[in-house]
Amino acid sequence: MSAITFSIIVQDMASKSHTPHEGLFLKVFKDKENTKHFLRGHLPQGVLDHADLDSLYLENASYLDDNLRKHFSDLVFSVRIGEEEFSAAKVYLLFEHKSSPEPLVGMQILRYMALQWKEMYDQGQTVGGKLPPIIPIVIYQGRGTWQARASFQDLVEMPSEAFNEFVPDFSFAFFNIGKVDEEKVRENVVLKFYVAIIKALDSPELRNLLPQLTQGLYESLGQKTGLEYIEIFFKYLVNSTEVVDKQDYAKALDKVPEGGNKIMTTLAEEWKQEGREEGREEGEQIGAIKNSQEMLISAVHNRFGIVKPKLAEKIRKIQSKETLHSLFNQTFVIDDKDDFDKLVDDALEE
């Protein structure tokens, strides 16, 4: 039997380090049983007829160039194929976790496919001088609806059909986790809750789902594995939704015989870090407003002479950066200081 290689490509447009969103996806799909179950329910039957998913094996991939490393992390699985002569095939699962869909994901896939084929060619992984097939799959875990253009040619505006033969023609399978048929994943407890959580992310139903998740994962997977999944699910939720609060997490973890306290401690660190980041952002905003206030006072001084304490006090009461910038611009066009004072008074009254 020959080998097919399934590549799971996780899209991370923010940074190379794993975000909680990406972390959940990696935790779910690094487990070959979860991946096998998903592929069995979603790959075309014509592919499944040749692929022995029981031979799924997690490998390593290092063929990304520096530019693509900024956008992708990758998991690569190999699986044996029947009596076909193909020595390898690639299946891509791209995890899109941005708040808005990526309209040019097809172009990103094309570049990645080309890199993999080049690597295969350099390593002599061709069959009769031909490259093996690649089957791209895009998995979208973001909020909202994304009507992805699954055909690459749909991304290209062509004057007539005569241009079609000069433009790459391929499609990718597209799955919005929030729209996945729950019946196709219900027999795998991790995928079942993965889909359920994404669907309920902005719904009050999430409160009722949390105790089911903790109890279901703990009882089905055992203490060690169950707690690992519960923690990564909860980390994701802490960073993704405000529908549930600390009490909801504590109540859900009461369903766990042991280990729940440790997870709550971990979540407390997440909340603390979140608070620090919010505090830093607030501090930066305050600093920016203060800078704008002092710049405006300096501009008034340069334009009209001495700035009386009363006017400076009024300017420092203005907390809108946009208003301060607007007043700053007015110092270049207004000739009368009294007219400018009136603008400041009007700004305070708004």
Side-chain angles (χ1 to χ4, degrees):
M1 298 176 75
S2 302
I4 291 181
T5 302
F6 292 83
S7 302
I8 300 182
I9 311 306
V10 183
Q11 186 171 4
D12 179 7
M13 302 299 290
S15 69
K16 191 177 175 182
S17 60
H18 297 330
T19 66
H21 311 276
E22 183 183 340
L24 175 61
F25 178 85
L26 288 172
K27 180 64 178 176
V28 171
F29 283 93
K30 268 189 173 181
D31 188 311
K32 69 177 184 179
E33 290 303 315
N34 300 334
T35 302
K36 180 169 66 176
H37 191 89
F38 186 87
L39 294 175
R40 184 170 285 134
H42 295 90
L43 281 181
Q45 189 58 47
V47 173
L48 294 174
D49 288 342
H50 298 288
D52 176 16
L53 293 184
D54 290 330
S55 67
L56 200 67
Y57 177 75
L58 178 62
E59 296 187 348
N60 188 24
S62 58
Y63 36 73
L64 288 177
D65 65 11
D66 289 339
N67 288 329
L68 274 178
R69 280 186 199 283
K70 297 174 184 177
H71 301 285
F72 296 97
S73 300
D74 55 284
L75 300 176
V76 177
F77 289 91
S78 63
V79 62
R80 298 187 69 81
I81 195 168
E83 298 303 321
E84 298 293 333
E85 300 209 355
F86 299 119
S87 61
K90 301 277 182 179
V91 175
Y92 296 80
L93 307 180
L94 278 79
F95 172 38
E96 166 60 49
H97 64 72
K98 296 188 302 177
S99 58
S100 59
E102 174 53 64
L104 294 181
V105 66
M107 188 166 66
Q108 296 168 344
I109 293 172
L110 178 62
R111 185 180 180 190
Y112 201 102
M113 292 166 69
L115 281 173
Q116 286 208 353
W117 272 322
K118 176 66 164 56
E119 180 70 12
M120 291 177 189
Y121 181 83
D122 291 343
Q123 293 185 3
Q125 295 179 342
T126 58
V127 180
K130 290 186 176 181
L131 295 165
I134 294 176
I135 306 171
I137 298 176
V138 174
I139 291 182
Y140 173 57
Q141 190 184 297
R143 280 180 167 87
T145 302
W146 178 14
Q147 297 296 330
R149 294 178 175 179
S151 170
F152 182 78
Q153 289 200 349
D154 287 344
L155 296 177
V156 182
E157 182 70 25
M158 290 179 278
S160 71
E161 292 185 1
F163 287 77
N164 291 3
E165 62 181 295
F166 300 103
V167 176
D169 184 15
F170 74 93
S171 299
F172 55 84
F174 177 78
F175 301 103
N176 184 339
I177 294 299
K179 302 294 183 182
V180 165
D181 184 355
E182 294 182 55
E183 284 299 307
K184 290 188 175 184
V185 296
R186 66 183 179 85
E187 294 181 4
N188 180 290
V189 67
V190 174
L191 291 177
K192 170 186 170 184
F193 283 114
Y194 176 51
V195 171
I197 284 291
I198 301 304
K199 287 189 174 186
L201 200 56
D202 298 313
S203 167
E205 177 59 27
L206 191 58
R207 290 194 182 92
N208 299 325
L209 187 57
L210 289 190
Q212 299 174 35
L213 181 146
T214 52
Q215 188 171 359
L217 292 176
Y218 193 94
E219 293 179 354
S220 300
L221 304 177
Q223 180 180 347
K224 183 177 183 298
T225 305
L227 289 175
E228 288 176 357
Y229 273 105
I230 292 169
E231 181 174 333
I232 200 71
F233 268 107
F234 278 17
K235 279 185 177 180
Y236 168 74
L237 290 171
V238 164
N239 289 275
S240 303
T241 182
E242 296 181 357
V243 170
V244 290
D245 56 26
K246 297 178 183 179
Q247 289 71 31
D248 294 314
Y249 291 109
K251 181 180 177 181
L253 289 169
D254 284 342
K255 299 289 183 180
V256 179
E258 53 185 312
N261 290 337
K262 183 179 178 182
I263 293 177
M264 276 303 291
T265 301
T266 301
L267 296 182
E269 288 299 317
E270 291 283 323
W271 287 312
K272 190 183 296 183
Q273 177 63 29
E274 189 178 85
R276 283 196 292 265
E277 291 178 356
E278 289 176 354
R280 176 180 56 77
E281 291 176 1
E282 183 178 353
E284 290 175 351
Q285 291 175 359
I286 292 173
I289 289 173
K290 285 186 175 180
N291 286 337
S292 297
Q293 291 168 346
E294 297 309 313
M295 284 180 62
L296 177 57
I297 292 171
S298 177
V300 173
H301 173 76
N302 292 334
R303 186 75 174 84
F304 302 112
I306 295 175
V307 180
K308 294 182 179 180
K310 187 175 181 180
L311 177 59
E313 182 182 351
K314 288 180 180 180
I315 290 175
R316 291 191 178 103
K317 287 182 180 180
I318 300 173
Q319 297 300 309
S320 167
K321 195 160 61 172
E322 290 75 15
T323 300
L324 290 165
H325 286 174
S326 177
L327 288 170
F328 179 85
N329 291 332
Q330 288 299 312
T331 62
F332 294 97
V333 297
I334 290 181
D335 295 323
D336 189 282
K337 184 175 179 297
D338 291 337
D339 289 341
F340 184 82
D341 289 352
K342 187 176 185 306
L343 284 178
V344 173
D345 290 336
D346 290 343
L348 287 171
E349 291 176 1
E350 290 181 356

